[in-house]
Amino acid sequence: MNGAVSAVVALVLLAVLAAPVWRWISANAALVALAAVLLVGAVIAVSMWWSGLAARRRLRRERRIRAALTFAEMSAGQFEHALADLCRRDGCTGVAVVGGAGDLGADVVARAPDGRRIVLQAKRYRVDNWVSGPDLQKFGGTCFAVHGADVAAVVTTAGGFRKQAREYAAHMGIVLVDNHELTAWHTGEGPPPWE
């Protein structure tokens, strides 16, 4: 019974309010039409902005995937040269690939735009691999003392760094760049290791 009473009250209110609303709409038809056009325009603008945002996100994601695949397909030497090219692109001078037998851990050396000496070690590993503590310790023993690094970084295509490697790098002041940070650097969405 209460539901029937509520329905009757709602119908009466609707009837009472409908007449004045209809009169106001009839008297202000141009204003109502303008409001409708503006509302439709706003809905279209928001939907276009939203679809553009989604397309830009999709494009960035595809660019990162392509970059990761490109690095994964390189040889160790090609990877070192690719890192040197990134350094040049981002304003470094005196960029040289010095990796190879007897390199004492340095694969790329350069001068940052602010003049600091950069020493990079390139670790071109599979993405499901991890850089270990001993890898970092070998580099840490030479990057500052032998190569005179102001900024020392290990850049890898691997999925990340083991706990011992991260702890050692933090203690020594070595920058770690994993495959995600590398692709962000490559696509311009992330900073280079010296920033």
Side-chain angles (χ1 to χ4, degrees), residues 149-161:
D150 295 313
V151 178
V154 177
V155 183
T156 186
T157 55
F161 297 86

Side-chain angles (χ1 to χ4, degrees), residues 152-173:
V154 177
V155 183
T156 186
T157 55
F161 297 86
R162 297 229 177 266
K163 181 181 178 191
Q164 181 187 15
R166 290 191 310 271
E167 290 171 351
Y168 180 79
H171 177 71
M172 295 298 294

